[in-house]
């Protein structure tokens, strides 16, 4: 209860608590690993039929009971050959409203929440973002690579108050996701 009072009273505390609870590695390491994420996505471009992509949202932190407008996190799950998966999302790289921002492959909280979800435990309030025709692997991977190569920075509340040249996990996902074209 006290945590809820604190988190609702100060947005900068919200940002700090959120960023400190989403992964065990620091923002500098996430940023340094982003070229590895780009190389992985380039593999998807070579053989997109080998992969599928789904999109999910979940609570911002593990001890949050339900997703809220402010504390919601969006992430991709990339499935290789129907049995291996990787998670991918856009992270802030430092505590505060703004930071460098970087794409993170297999973030701890993304993998844990998704694994629990597919095993039947939904403690993170994970929900699939339904895309009618599915997600186009090649086009989505290409869009994420373009974001990596851009100067887009992280802004914690971008899904609520859109800032130019800024994203958070939610807006980065929605701006890169491409729906498959329906078969004629």
């Amino acid at each position: 209860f006290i945590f809820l009072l604190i988190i609702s009273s100060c947005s900068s505390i919200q940002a700090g608590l959120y960023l400190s609870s989403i992964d065990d590695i620091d923002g500098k390491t996430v940023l340094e690993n982003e070229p590895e994420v780009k190389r992985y996505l380039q593999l998807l471009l070579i053989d997109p039929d080998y992969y599928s992509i789904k999109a999910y949202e979940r609570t911002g932190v593990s001890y949050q009971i339900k997703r809220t407008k402010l504390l919601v996190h969006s992430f991709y799950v990339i499935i290789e050959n129907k049995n291996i998966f990787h998670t991918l999302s856009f992270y802030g790289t430092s505590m505060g409203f703004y930071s460098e921002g970087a794409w993170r492959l297999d973030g701890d909280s993304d993998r844990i929440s998704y694994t629990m979800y597919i095993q039947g435990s939904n403690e993170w309030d994970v929900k699939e973002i339904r895309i009618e025709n599915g997600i186009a692997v090649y086009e989505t991977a290409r869009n994420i690579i373009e974001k990596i190569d851009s100067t887009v920075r992280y802004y914690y509340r971008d899904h609520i108050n859109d800032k130019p040249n800024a994203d958070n996990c939610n807006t980065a996902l929605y701006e890169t996701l491409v729906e498959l074209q329906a078969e004629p």
Side-chain angles (χ1 to χ4, degrees), residues 60-75:
V61 290
S62 63
Y63 41 81
Q64 180 184 342
I65 297 170
K66 293 284 181 193
R67 286 171 272 115
T68 66
K69 184 177 179 178
L70 180 62
L71 287 176
V72 61
H73 175 76
S74 298
F75 64 102

Side-chain angles (χ1 to χ4, degrees), residues 59 61-66 116-117 121-126:
T59 57
V61 290
S62 63
Y63 41 81
Q64 180 184 342
I65 297 170
K66 293 284 181 193
M116 291 173 77
Y117 171 73
S121 173
N122 200 7
E123 292 177 31
W124 292 72
D125 195 25
V126 175

Side-chain angles (χ1 to χ4, degrees), residues 23-133:
D23 220 330
D24 286 340
I25 65 171
D26 63 22
K28 180 181 177 198
T29 305
V30 171
L31 194 57
E32 289 171 352
N33 290 339
E34 197 175 46
E36 192 175 307
V37 174
K38 182 178 177 181
R39 282 190 291 279
Y40 175 74
L41 291 169
Q42 289 168 331
L43 291 174
L44 274 69
L45 299 179
I46 294 169
D47 190 6
D49 294 334
Y50 183 76
Y51 303 89
S52 63
I53 299 177
K54 293 187 176 189
Y56 294 86
E57 62 181 30
R58 63 171 170 79
T59 57
V61 290
S62 63
Y63 41 81
Q64 180 184 342
I65 297 170
K66 293 284 181 193
R67 286 171 272 115
T68 66
K69 184 177 179 178
L70 180 62
L71 287 176
V72 61
H73 175 76
S74 298
F75 64 102
Y76 286 113
V77 173
I78 301 168
I79 301 158
E80 298 179 22
N81 201 21
K82 298 182 182 177
N83 60 0
I84 298 169
F85 76 88
H86 296 281
T87 61
L88 178 66
S89 61
F90 189 68
Y91 276 57
T93 55
S94 67
M95 297 258 226
F97 280 116
Y98 295 95
S99 70
E100 184 77 22
W103 287 86
R104 170 91 169 109
L105 193 62
D106 293 327
D108 297 333
S109 58
D110 290 341
R111 283 195 65 87
I112 290 167
S113 63
Y114 179 71
T115 299
M116 291 173 77
Y117 171 73
I118 61 175
Q119 291 175 348
S121 173
N122 200 7
E123 292 177 31
W124 292 72
D125 195 25
V126 175
K127 175 184 164 194
E128 184 174 355
I129 301 168
R130 298 286 181 184
I131 309 301
E132 187 173 336
N133 296 313

